[in-house]
């Protein structure tokens, strides 16, 4: 018997149709409703669930009451088990977070959730990487790779995973933008963490199609290149991200995925360092290299998700000692836009602008533009 | 696949060729040596370069040979360790990066600028005293001809590097532009793509390599030469600076013979006509394809293309969920060919169409009609496309094995190392 959890964010997507660029926050939700917004989640969730009807008799579905999953499941013909402790009206992100924790405690094989980037954040905040998840894209903002490229594909992916036709899990970025800033015309995308999703190239948003090896293989090749060129006289500061993590894994060192770590003579000497700790280390070791990777889809190398790498840290490291690592998939995800810097120090941003050589594979560099 | 005249098959299957043995005495193989010699002379004229090796058995092999020649040149100057970088572009063939990497080079890749040309500012940033050479196609796979190519070659020459022209596909360039005029030092042609050998299914092919006089002494041995005094052709092994042998014997003779016959039957004007028609066919197909719902092309500001176009089904995919790979599988049901793109896929949901000179207006109309039918199905009955192919014995192949290097066995040696029996892991 397969066991699946289902959480639907019933208000996801409502802000989009009425031009509000998102539905985070009660005031915005009310505004969306006043503008005549209709709920998109039910229909899109049903499109995914219909695929799972193929295994209905072997599927135990656990979901939230009312329009957070029960309605969609029942309408599709499932007889779900409804969890308790979740409100049935005027639900908020807290209900999503609570429901995710309950699903985890029920040991579901897979958590299917419908929503947008805000919902993905809530799932990440509550359960992290403890469960494999698949996002059904119903929200306004879909920057996170956790979402399937369509509701239909979310259902297909879930089916393949539950039937054990698909075994591979991939950590993907949970991204969200600052909605308030976005409404003022400023796109500020932030990396919040990583979720584990069943991975099949053709189903995941931004997932690479075609016939090349996946990023995981290329990340290992990049790590090999970096380690081959490591000089024991230098301190290596390792920025956040899965591409840089591959270096730490290759060195068999502990690491923080979202933090900044330090390596000297191929040994870990600092974990999850803040700005002042970094400055102390830099002053002590003098010779320093900084290894960073851009955030997929938007290209920031400084100023998003790695604020520990402050202008002072970067000035001290010096531009020629910055090593950028990224797979071609990540570069392509920028849709031909440049790498970006936004350190808060305009003169530094200017100094970092121009062209950089990105390590994109073993013994391979891609020359790419950096803008501010 | 272009049309390859059937008479050429009769030529290569004739006893005069098929019964020959590579070890027979030169005096008994003068006819074939003459053909090889004259084939080289033809390619010297087509490219403007000074000497050719007919040995490499395919495109990647040709690029590897070029890498070896350049390496040998720098070695002759004691610079082989310093000159250790090859620059190429993201829209050039991936073998332009892969083959020199096998030779031991480090690779620098240039992405396209906003206009679809290789970013010339990035090239300026990439060149240095470590630059060994630039490997580039023109036009790239977008079909956009880079009219500033002479500036690219100058930038590389100014730092002491060489420029190698990947002209695997020359269908749109014959008699119109040459490597020499763009200041290239090396070139390779895939005879099986342009010069009358069937292309596909893994060969046989030939990726012949041409060089300027400066690099001629490094060509593989043997080369075919003519002794005017004795009026005979001979295999010249006495080339002390040669990179040595890159292949058994002297090249893929049937492919070389077909190319010779094809060029001789067309003549100089005929070759130019080939390219003119290939370009005309491509631009006609482009106009029709862009009328299809959901189709677009990369860098649409370039209204005319050379011999191919890289298109995108991005809009169709967004509207229907049907991807370019789904369409590829459905096209097979109609008994024809469709190609997506080299890696990496810079253009979303890509497909690349190159009609060449072989196809009539009716042929092109039929091909576009097939695409039109599939587009209709994508919007009206997408499952029909999703579940394709319907007429193939092999339905779909998973790419997941590409993520398992421990299973890769692309050579017999690798297979023996990793497997103990019929795909049973050791």
């Amino acid at each position: 018997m397969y066991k699946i959890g289902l959480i639907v964010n019933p208000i996801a997507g409502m802000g989009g149709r009425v031009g509000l660029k998102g539905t985070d926050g009660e005031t915005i939700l009310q505004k969306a409703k006043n503008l005549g917004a209709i709920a998109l989640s039910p229909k899109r969730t049903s499109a995914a669930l219909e695929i799972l009807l193929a295994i209905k008799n072997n599927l135990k579905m656990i979901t939230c009451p009312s329009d957070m999953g029960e309605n969609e499941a029942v309408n599709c013909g499932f007889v779900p088990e409804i969890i308790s402790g979740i409100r049935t009206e005027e639900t908020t992100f807290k209900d999503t977070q609570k429901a995710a924790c309950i699903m985890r405690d029920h040991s579901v094989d897979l958590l299917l959730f419908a929503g947008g980037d805000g919902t993905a954040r809530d799932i990440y905040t509550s359960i992290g990487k403890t469960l494999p998840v698949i996002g059904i894209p119903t929200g306004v903002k879909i920057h996170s790779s956790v979402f399937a490229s369509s509701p239909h594909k979310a259902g297909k992916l879930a089916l393949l995973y539950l039937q054990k036709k698909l075994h591979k899990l991939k950590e993907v970025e949970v991204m969200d933008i600052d909605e308030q800033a976005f409404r003022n015309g400023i796109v500020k995308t932030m990396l919040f963490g990583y979720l584990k999703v069943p991975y099949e190239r053709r189903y995941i948003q931004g997932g690479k199609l075609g016939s090349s090896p996946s990023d995981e293989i290329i990340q290992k090749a990049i790590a090999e290149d970096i380690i081959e060129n490591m000089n024991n006289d230098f301190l290596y500061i390792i920025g956040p991200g899965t591409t840089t993590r591959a270096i730490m894994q290759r060195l068999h060192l502990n690491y923080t995925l979202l933090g900044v770590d330090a390596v000297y003579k191929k040994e870990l000497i600092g974990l999850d360092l803040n700005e002042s700790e970094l400055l102390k280390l830099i002053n002590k070791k003098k010779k320093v290299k900084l290894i960073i990777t851009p955030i997929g889809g938007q290209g920031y190398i400084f100023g998003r998700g790695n604020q520990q790498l402050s202008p002072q840290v970067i000035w001290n490291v010096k531009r020629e000692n910055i090593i950028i690592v990224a797979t071609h998939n990540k570069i392509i995800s920028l849709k031909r836009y440049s790498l970006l810097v936004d350190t808060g120090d305009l003169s530094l941003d200017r100094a970092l602008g121009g062209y950089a050589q990105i390590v994109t594979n073993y013994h391979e560099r891609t020359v790419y533009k950096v803008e501010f | 696949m272009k049309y390859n005249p059937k008479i050429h098959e009769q030529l290569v299957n004739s006893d005069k060729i098929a019964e020959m043995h590579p070890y027979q005495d030169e005096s008994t193989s003068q006819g074939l040596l003459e053909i090889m010699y004259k084939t080289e002379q033809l390619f010297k004229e087509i490219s403007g370069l000074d000497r050719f090796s007919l040995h490499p058995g395919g495109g990647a092999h040709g690029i590897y040979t070029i890498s070896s020649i350049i390496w040998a040149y720098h070695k002759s100057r004691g610079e082989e360790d310093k000159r250790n970088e090859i620059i190429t572009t993201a829209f050039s063939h991936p073998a332009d990066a892969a083959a020199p990497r096998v030779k031991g080079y480090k690779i620098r890749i240039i992405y396209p600028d906003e206009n679809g040309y290789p970013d010339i500012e990035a090239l300026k940033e990439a060149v240095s005293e470590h630059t060994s050479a630039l490997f580039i196609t023109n036009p790239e796979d977008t079909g956009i001809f880079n009219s500033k190519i002479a500036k690219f070659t100058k930038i590389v020459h100014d730092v002491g590097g060489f420029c190698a022209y990947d002209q695997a596909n020359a269908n749109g360039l014959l008699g119109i532009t040459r490597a020499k005029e763009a200041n290239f030092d090396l070139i390779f042609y895939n005879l099986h793509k342009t010069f009358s050998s069937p292309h596909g299914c893994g060969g046989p092919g030939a990726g012949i390599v041409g060089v300027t006089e400066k690099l001629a002494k490094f060509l593989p041995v043997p080369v075919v030469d003519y002794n005017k005094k004795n009026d005979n052709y001979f295999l010249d092994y006495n080339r002390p600076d040669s990179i040595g042998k890159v292949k058994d014997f002297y090249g893929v003779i049937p492919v070389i013979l077909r190319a010779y016959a094809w060029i001789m039957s067309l003549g100089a004007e005929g070759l130019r006509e080939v390219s003119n028609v290939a370009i005309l066919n491509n631009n006609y197909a482009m106009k029709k394809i862009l009328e299809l719902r959901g189709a677009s092309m990369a860098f649409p500001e370039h209204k005319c293309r050379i011999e191919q176009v890289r298109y995108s089904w991005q809009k169709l995919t967004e509207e229907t969920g049907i991807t370019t790979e789904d369409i590829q599988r459905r096209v097979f049901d109609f008994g024809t060919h469709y190609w997506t793109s080299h890696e990496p896929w810079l253009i979303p949901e890509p497909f690349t169409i190159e009609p060449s000179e072989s196809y009539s207006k009716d042929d092109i109309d039929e091909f576009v009609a097939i695409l039109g039918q599939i587009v209709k199905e994508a919007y009206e009955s997408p499952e029909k496309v999703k579940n394709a192919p319907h007429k193939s014995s092999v339905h779909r192949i998973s790419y997941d094995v590409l993520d398992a290097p421990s299973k890769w066995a692309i050579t017999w040696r690798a297979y023996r190392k990793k497997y103990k029996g019929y795909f049973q892991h050791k």
Side-chain angles (χ1 to χ4, degrees), chain B residues 79-92:
Chain B
E79 291 188 335
E80 74 274 23
D81 293 331
K82 178 183 149 198
R83 297 272 179 188
N84 60 358
E85 294 179 2
I86 296 289
I87 302 169
T88 186
T89 68
F91 274 133
S92 289

Side-chain angles (χ1 to χ4, degrees), chain A residues 1-4 51-56 58-59 109-110 155-167 198:
Chain A
M1 180 68 83
Y2 313 118
K3 203 194 271 189
I4 191 169
I51 305 293
L52 296 176
L53 285 172
I55 53 166
K56 182 186 165 191
N58 287 319
L59 183 66
D109 300 317
L110 175 71
K156 284 265 210 189
L157 196 60
L159 182 65
L160 287 172
Y161 182 71
L162 291 170
Q163 290 178 320
K164 299 197 177 0
K165 289 180 181 171
L166 190 66
H167 303 282

Side-chain angles (χ1 to χ4, degrees), chain B residues 56 61 79 129 158 162 181 245 284 325:
Chain B
H61 194 184
E79 291 188 335
E129 71 275 18
D158 285 349
F162 288 105
E181 278 68 43
K245 287 185 77 69
Y284 174 71
E325 289 183 316

Side-chain angles (χ1 to χ4, degrees), chain A residues 168 211 214 328 355 362 365, chain B residues 101 109 111 119 343 403:
Chain A
K168 193 184 270 184
S211 54
S214 70
H328 281 291
Y355 283 84
Y362 181 69
R365 307 284 183 274
Chain B
R101 185 144 61 173
I109 294 179
Y111 267 54
D119 187 337
E343 303 286 341
D403 292 339

